[in-house]
Structure formats: structure tokens, C-alpha cells
Amino acid sequence: MEYTFLEGRSVVVVYLALLGIVFLRAQATYWIGRGLGAGVHRSRLGDRLGDKLERAEGAINRYGPPAVTVSFLTIGVQTAINLTAGAMRMRFVRYLIAMFAGCLMWAAIYTFGGLAVMTAWVSMFTQSPLLAVGALAAIAGLIGIIVWRRKQRAVAAHEV
């Protein structure tokens, strides 16, 4: 999806606009799921599932929030997870915290061109998987060296 109406705006405006967009979209998806879930609970299917449905809801409440947060780093899975969180009646506060953390990440990725970088890497991978994996390893190695050097400097500063 292109956000041409944000062209030429400051980074803060772009980030906040995208944060608002993803927040409203995720909330709408969750509440549609809540409506669907309420329908299932009142149906014969809900009666037949009984305890199984309640156990599944318990598992979603317990283990679902990290899945909600991480879903914002995916393409195509995010909507399904938000809908499922609603349909399985994940407690709203737990969902809201997990969703907001995901929204913050999603808005940052879109604001700072992360999707363009990811698309370029996938394109490189389709042309030469070895080169793409090598580039990823080189970036990871560079980050590792930077972190290691900073730790060495911190240790040296404490020794003085």
C-alpha cells in the first residue's frame, strides 16, 4: 500500500499517521473477530466444542500476546492473528498492550523504509541466494563487531 498523501511530511508526522492507521486497522480487525467469536459461542458449534473452546481461549490468552506483537513484522498473517485474538476473546488489555507494541514496530518499519529494504533483499535472494545470505551474514557480522567494540570500550573505561 502506498501512502502518497504523506510525501514531503516530517518523519514525526509520517510515523504518527502510520501508527494511527495500523492502530485503527488492528482494532477494527480485533472487534470484528470479537463479533464473530460471540456468534460462535451462541451457536451449536460453540455448544459442541464446549470445554475445548474454553481451553483454546485460555491458551490464546496465555500465549497469544507475543504472537500478536510479532504478527506486525509479517505480511499476510497479521490480520488473521488479530481476527483470531478477537474471535477467541483474548482479554482486551492483554491484546491492547501486545497490539500497541506491534503497531509501534510496524509504523517504524514503514516510516523508515524497512519494507523497501526487505523487498530488495528478497529480490536479491531470488537472483542469488548465496549472495543474499552472504550479505545478511556480513551485516550481522558488522553489527557483532560494533557491539563487541563498544563493550571493549566500556570495560576499558571502567578499568581507568
Side-chain angles (χ1 to χ4, degrees):
M1 176 177 224
E2 291 190 29
Y3 300 101
T4 55
F5 66 94
L6 293 173
E7 286 180 15
R9 307 276 191 242
S10 74
V11 171
V12 173
V13 170
V14 171
Y15 181 79
L16 292 175
L18 292 175
L19 181 62
I21 289 168
V22 72
F23 183 88
L24 293 173
R25 186 184 72 204
Q27 282 292 298
T29 306
Y30 173 82
W31 288 106
I32 289 169
R34 283 297 278 232
L36 294 171
V40 167
H41 278 277
R42 291 186 203 124
S43 70
R44 288 183 205 164
L45 177 62
D47 291 339
R48 270 188 268 151
L49 291 173
D51 289 342
K52 291 178 186 175
L53 186 57
E54 288 179 24
R55 282 194 307 270
E57 285 177 350
I60 294 285
N61 268 309
R62 187 170 190 186
Y63 304 110
V68 169
T69 302
V70 172
S71 76
F72 286 87
L73 301 176
T74 66
I75 297 171
V77 179
Q78 176 185 348
T79 303
I81 289 177
N82 284 295
L83 189 70
T84 301
M88 295 304 290
R89 303 192 302 187
M90 181 184 289
R91 279 181 254 139
F92 181 69
V93 173
R94 292 179 69 99
Y95 171 76
L96 184 64
I97 293 167
M99 183 236 17
F100 193 65
C103 287
L104 292 170
M105 292 186 302
W106 184 93
I109 289 169
Y110 273 77
T111 298
F112 297 109
L115 195 61
V117 171
M118 206 166 57
T119 302
W121 185 83
V122 169
S123 177
M124 183 192 312
F125 186 83
T126 60
Q127 298 297 315
S128 173
L130 190 59
L131 179 62
V133 170
L136 200 58
I139 291 169
L142 183 61
I143 291 169
I145 289 169
I146 291 169
V147 169
W148 178 76
R149 290 184 83 191
R150 285 187 177 174
K151 283 185 180 182
Q152 293 299 319
R153 287 182 185 148
V155 168
H158 284 350
E159 290 177 357
V160 174

